[in-house]
Amino acid sequence: MINDIEKILYSEEELREIAQKLGARISEDYKDKNLLLVSILKGSVVFMADLMRAITVPCKIDFMCVSSYGSGSESSGVVKIVKDLDINLKGYDVLIVEDILDSGRTLNYVKSILLGRNPSSIKICTLLDKPERRVVDLKADYFGMNVPDEFVVGYGLDFDEKYRNLPFIGILKREVYSE
């Protein structure tokens, strides 16, 4: 797997620091709220684990799995819910936790669905933001780092279900995903 990485963008230590900083901000902002973290599977699971350990206020968690990629490297633009939430959102301050905000289609869709379930509030936290790829008007309320318009993997991010277990985030060599 390591041989497929062109360049490491963020080390394990840098990712830990990002989660800690975001966790501190979220803890302050949600100290008097009924926080529910909603992890968008599968990519955000590693970030979610680190982020929730960095949050110092009570919170609940739930998981939602949506798909818009299939096995390719470009979003299909069609979003489908694979696994829905188990918790009724009424009365919760929902924070959607995502690995990367790219085109924005998926998160825009998820946010609109969840807004219809009457949470007290809803915001977005993403580890990585790729604003130059945005095709919908959507911004994260919390984000860790901007990333270049490259195919990034590791720390939960994948290509065809591989590379999620890398402890860092790196740029995947073009020949790996263009074959």
Side-chain angles (χ1 to χ4, degrees), residues 40 43-44 47 69 97-104 106-107 124-131 133-134 140 145-148 150-153 157-158 169:
I40 305 299
S44 73
F47 174 51
Y69 279 90
V97 179
E98 181 62 295
D99 54 356
I100 188 166
L101 178 50
D102 194 323
S103 72
T106 301
L107 271 179
I124 295 170
C125 176
T126 187
L127 173 62
L128 304 175
D129 193 6
K130 202 185 279 189
R133 299 262 306 168
R134 203 85 75 247
M145 301 295 285
N146 281 319
V147 288
E150 299 282 353
F151 200 107
V152 291
V153 295
L157 294 136
D158 76 306
I169 292 176

Side-chain angles (χ1 to χ4, degrees), residues 137-175:
D137 185 23
L138 185 72
K139 289 188 169 120
D141 301 280
Y142 305 90
F143 74 94
M145 301 295 285
N146 281 319
V147 288
D149 189 10
E150 299 282 353
F151 200 107
V152 291
V153 295
Y155 196 71
L157 294 136
D158 76 306
F159 170 64
D160 202 18
E161 295 297 323
K162 297 176 194 139
Y163 309 101
R164 291 189 194 278
N165 57 321
L166 292 173
F168 56 80
I169 292 176
I171 297 173
L172 191 62
K173 289 179 181 173
R174 187 170 301 279
E175 63 263 20

Side-chain angles (χ1 to χ4, degrees), residues 44-63:
S44 73
V45 72
V46 178
F47 174 51
M48 171 79 149
D50 287 346
L51 181 66
M52 68 186 207
R53 286 190 303 243
I55 292 173
T56 58
V57 297
C59 64
K60 290 186 178 180
I61 64 170
D62 203 349
F63 299 89

Side-chain angles (χ1 to χ4, degrees), residues 54-140:
I55 292 173
T56 58
V57 297
C59 64
K60 290 186 178 180
I61 64 170
D62 203 349
F63 299 89
M64 187 173 206
C65 186
V66 295
S67 175
S68 66
Y69 279 90
S71 63
S73 62
E74 291 287 325
S75 174
S76 66
V78 177
V79 180
K80 69 176 185 173
I81 296 175
V82 179
K83 185 237 177 273
D84 208 341
L85 299 175
D86 296 323
I87 296 175
N88 180 333
L89 299 185
K90 191 168 174 62
Y92 283 101
D93 295 288
V94 174
L95 183 60
I96 301 169
V97 179
E98 181 62 295
D99 54 356
I100 188 166
L101 178 50
D102 194 323
S103 72
R105 285 187 193 111
T106 301
L107 271 179
N108 195 50
Y109 177 78
V110 168
K111 185 177 180 181
S112 68
I113 293 256
L114 299 185
L115 274 169
R117 297 179 185 180
N118 300 313
S120 295
S121 67
I122 190 162
K123 291 189 176 182
I124 295 170
C125 176
T126 187
L127 173 62
L128 304 175
D129 193 6
K130 202 185 279 189
E132 63 273 358
R133 299 262 306 168
R134 203 85 75 247
V135 297
V136 298
D137 185 23
L138 185 72
K139 289 188 169 120

